[in-house]
Amino acid sequence: MDITFDHVSFTYQAGTPFAGEGLRDVSTTISDHSYTAIIGHTGSGKSTLLQHLNALLKPTSGSVTIGDRVITAETNNKNLKPLRQKVGMVFQFAENQLFEQTVAKDIAFGPKNFGASDDEAAALAKQMVTLVGLPEEVLTQSPFDLSGGQMRRVAIAGVLAMQPQVLVLDEPTAGLDPAGRRDMMTMFERLHETQGLTIVLVTHQMDDVADFADHVLVMDQGALIKEGSPREIFADPDWLRAHQLGLPKATAMAEQLMAKGFRFDPLPLTSDELADQLLPQIGGAHHE
Amino acid sequence: MNKLILGRYIPGDSWIHQLDPRTKLLASFYYIGIIFLANDWKSYLVMTLATFFMIWLSKVKLGFFLRGVRPMLWLILFTVLLQVFFTTGGKVYWQWGWLAITQFGLSNGAFIFMRFVLIIFISTLLTLTTQPLSLADAVESLLRPLRVLHVPVTELALVLQIALRFVPTLMDQTTKIMNAQRARGVDFGSGNLFQQMKAVVPLLIPLFVDSFSIAEDLATAMDARGYQGGDGRSKFRVLKYHRRDGAAAAGMIVLTVSLLLLRA
């Protein structure tokens, strides 16, 4: 299911003295089965863009095409439910959305809203809780008795239980410990590869962008200022710095090494690539 | 929510903005009190001119004030119509059974209308030109005498200040949770009354849980920074009356005297 933005602009509180610009003339396509990362510094419009992906916000001008539905400013709020099932959203600090008495009920909440029977929803809950790496025992526990990291997993399981075709993640690993972050990112990668899920990820972790994404959108002040593969985006460190963005650790290290006389072509994005390019150069130095 | 103008603050540095918040608070209450003195067109004219003078002093656009009246419009019209139809006396212009439009009815209706609009203008002026936190400071300072009666004034002020500070935070959180639940298939504001009430549960419970955790964190942070109760603390924002506050008070007295002289 492709998602296409056609000259989308969005203004917050349009028509009031407090109006503020959210998006400016954004045109792009998030294609089926892609892994798209959206980067940009705080307040650049990333989250506003995300909320257009399942019509939580509607463009003030322009149109968003999600699968076969076209969303414009005039689109009626009714009948958006099927759309919301296809595009699952994991918001920042998703653990704040938990409310049911038990984990099982909370995970089943989404599917039941979209018409699944109690039995189907319960089966899904069981399946999803294992998928996100929690023991089945938590199903009967209250979500508020869990640790922060476990709550986040339950919330994500609740979104995955809706069996979306597109998974939208707004900084899913913010505030997690390194092991939790790695687990979660590998889980999303596995879903992307085994189930062909389209993933849209907003993140400040450039390493995650380099490791997982195949398409990168760079936002600044509500506008889409650059898009391309991670290699294209990270090829110009000076441009990134000018837009207050960082580099993946491996790329940053390569840049420092280049100042000392090492040569890299293309710039490495991951530590493996860095090691691969570095080895012959060190070896060469030994032979002389 | 976004359409509500009453209760918003618009930054500025006009004469009114710079008044002491206590002066503004007291003057607003005083103004609302003396508007009931006005009882004929001359006294209402004086009040209207005084109000527009204050609005002009505040340098806030008139449109804001008109927008402040809009949500109350139906209440105002309802009251005015009651006055028009049920007041008797003077010349009768139209009658149908016990319903009548009379001279007194019409004038009473017009006065009630003016009273409503002027009171809303003045309270809008207060909130548009005063930061919520300064208002809380003003309340604390004005309530201080009640400490003699063992009213915990500093604690009340603390609660008020914390509440005001967290209104926007909780509003943001509400929007976020609403969006998250919408994405999970909740329809807010559709279906029959029972369905609508049920849809609020996934919003209210997370909000309460969130408030508890904010309260716990805030209390811990306050403890850690040495908060031991309201008594014996010094203040960072010290309120001080200036010459302009005296001028404002004098203005109110002039207004009262002219009302007393003019009213029928």
Side-chain angles (χ1 to χ4, degrees):
Chain A
M1 195 171 66
D2 289 356
I3 299 179
T4 306
F5 284 69
D6 185 19
H7 297 285
V8 172
S9 296
F10 180 79
T11 313
Y12 280 102
Q13 305 193 24
T16 74
F18 307 101
E21 219 167 33
L23 290 180
R24 284 185 296 162
D25 197 32
V26 173
S27 295
T28 185
T29 297
I30 292 166
S31 47
D32 207 9
H33 304 308
S34 67
Y35 197 133
T36 304
I38 306 179
I39 57 177
H41 64 95
T42 316
S44 58
K46 303 183 299 279
S47 297
T48 315
L49 186 74
L50 283 195
Q51 293 180 47
H52 280 83
L53 294 174
N54 73 350
L56 282 174
L57 294 176
K58 286 178 288 184
T60 318
S61 72
S63 67
V64 184
T65 314
I66 308 168
D68 47 10
R69 279 291 294 270
V70 181
I71 308 287
T72 64
E74 283 84 38
T75 304
N76 197 310
N77 271 330
K78 289 200 174 100
N79 306 323
L80 289 176
K81 258 192 173 180
L83 203 75
R84 302 225 164 112
Q85 192 213 333
K86 283 182 198 147
V87 184
M89 285 233 175
V90 177
F91 283 84
Q92 241 173 68
F93 301 104
E95 57 272 27
N96 285 337
Q97 73 188 31
L98 304 177
F99 72 100
E100 279 283 12
Q101 289 115 311
T102 65
V103 168
K105 279 191 188 174
D106 205 286
I107 299 178
F109 178 70
K112 274 162 80 175
N113 279 330
F114 294 116
S117 72
D118 286 358
D119 291 341
E120 283 166 7
L124 272 171
K126 215 170 182 177
Q127 190 188 329
M128 291 307 155
V129 91
T130 345
L131 185 70
V132 296
L134 290 174
E136 271 188 30
E137 291 92 80
V138 297
L139 280 173
T140 51
Q141 279 178 282
S142 159
F144 300 111
D145 289 339
L146 303 177
S147 74
Q150 288 176 319
M151 282 170 80
R152 179 84 54 92
R153 282 161 195 266
V154 172
I156 291 173
V159 174
L160 290 174
M162 292 157 29
Q163 298 180 300
Q165 297 171 17
V166 180
L167 186 62
V168 181
L169 308 159
D170 193 354
E171 296 188 45
T173 59
L176 292 185
D177 58 57
R181 271 191 23 212
R182 209 168 33 240
D183 286 357
M184 207 156 270
M185 289 314 293
T186 359
M187 180 190 82
F188 294 134
E189 172 69 3
R190 208 172 55 234
L191 286 169
H192 172 61
E193 277 182 354
T194 57
Q195 305 188 12
L197 216 62
T198 310
I199 291 190
V200 181
L201 169 76
V202 163
T203 185
H204 290 292
Q205 308 291 334
M206 296 304 155
D207 284 326
D208 288 346
V209 177
D211 286 344
F212 302 113
D214 50 37
H215 190 70
V216 185
L217 308 179
V218 188
M219 302 284 299
D220 190 26
Q221 293 175 13
L224 179 64
I225 51 170
K226 201 169 187 176
E227 68 174 308
S229 68
R231 198 165 297 286
E232 287 160 9
I233 299 292
F234 292 126
D236 190 352
D238 293 327
W239 183 88
L240 284 165
R241 263 190 293 273
H243 290 90
Q244 299 172 37
L245 293 165
L247 287 170
K249 283 198 199 80
T251 318
M253 180 160 178
E255 219 200 347
Q256 283 178 330
L257 287 172
M258 273 160 77
K260 302 270 180 210
F262 288 87
R263 291 169 50 81
F264 296 99
D265 189 39
L267 267 174
L269 296 182
T270 61
S271 39
D272 282 348
E273 282 180 33
L274 177 66
D276 285 348
Q277 290 199 41
L278 208 49
L279 206 59
Q281 297 193 48
I282 300 171
H286 268 288
H287 278 287
E288 276 180 10
Chain B
M1 266 326 153
N2 298 329
K3 288 184 184 107
L4 213 58
I5 292 295
L6 197 79
R8 285 247 181 160
Y9 170 71
I10 298 189
D13 61 347
S14 71
W15 199 86
I16 298 264
H17 277 87
Q18 288 173 31
L19 277 176
D20 190 287
R22 289 172 295 182
T23 314
K24 279 189 270 190
L25 194 63
L26 286 178
S28 307
F29 280 118
Y30 186 74
Y31 179 96
I32 290 170
I34 59 172
I35 200 165
F36 291 94
L37 284 177
N39 63 354
D40 66 346
W41 68 269
K42 274 180 290 178
S43 42
Y44 270 106
L45 186 68
V46 169
M47 283 309 258
T48 313
L49 288 178
T51 311
F52 277 95
F53 177 65
M54 287 187 263
I55 289 177
W56 174 77
L57 272 183
S58 76
K59 290 184 187 152
V60 180
K61 282 198 204 97
L62 195 62
F64 281 105
F65 294 89
L66 296 177
R67 220 171 289 138
V69 172
R70 208 186 289 158
M72 305 280 280
L73 202 61
W74 290 111
L75 181 70
I76 299 176
L77 285 182
F78 178 71
T79 322
V80 167
L81 283 181
L82 279 187
Q83 286 289 331
V84 168
F85 282 116
F86 293 103
T87 312
T88 50
K91 236 186 268 166
V92 176
Y93 296 117
W94 177 84
Q95 188 151 24
W96 184 76
W98 43 269
L99 275 183
I101 294 182
T102 64
Q103 188 186 357
F104 284 8
L106 280 181
S107 60
N108 256 1
F111 289 162
I112 290 280
F113 179 78
M114 283 315 290
R115 201 177 280 170
F116 260 116
V117 170
L118 291 182
I119 288 178
I120 294 172
F121 273 13
I122 280 299
S123 19
T124 313
L125 182 68
L126 174 70
T127 54
L128 282 184
T129 60
T130 319
Q131 272 172 319
L133 269 186
S134 341
L135 268 185
D137 284 340
V139 170
E140 180 185 5
S141 165
L142 292 172
L143 289 182
R144 186 143 300 159
L146 291 182
R147 274 162 72 166
V148 182
L149 302 173
H150 298 291
V151 177
V153 174
T154 40
E155 273 72 22
L156 285 177
L158 180 77
V159 171
L160 183 63
Q161 279 173 356
I162 291 178
L164 284 172
R165 155 67 185 80
F166 279 97
V167 168
T169 309
L170 286 179
M171 294 265 273
D172 279 357
Q173 194 61 24
T174 311
T175 325
K176 273 185 200 150
I177 297 173
M178 266 178 104
N179 277 338
Q181 305 298 25
R182 258 197 209 119
R184 290 211 284 167
V186 178
D187 274 331
F188 288 105
S190 71
N192 61 34
L193 193 64
F194 181 69
Q195 285 167 327
Q196 286 196 35
M197 273 160 52
K198 240 180 103 183
V200 178
V201 177
L203 172 64
L204 277 189
I205 293 181
L207 259 186
F208 272 114
V209 172
D210 203 45
S211 309
F212 281 126
S213 77
I214 291 180
E216 222 171 281
D217 289 349
L218 184 67
T220 314
M222 282 170 73
D223 257 347
R225 295 175 73 183
Y227 180 83
Q228 295 182 322
D231 294 321
R233 281 165 57 83
S234 58
K235 285 184 83 69
F236 174 63
R237 294 183 303 264
V238 181
L239 294 178
K240 244 165 113 182
Y241 289 117
H242 292 281
R243 202 175 293 151
R244 58 177 71 225
D245 297 296
M252 281 294 150
I253 291 171
V254 170
L255 194 59
T256 319
V257 171
S258 45
L259 269 182
L260 286 173
L261 291 177
L262 278 173
R263 73 195 291 256

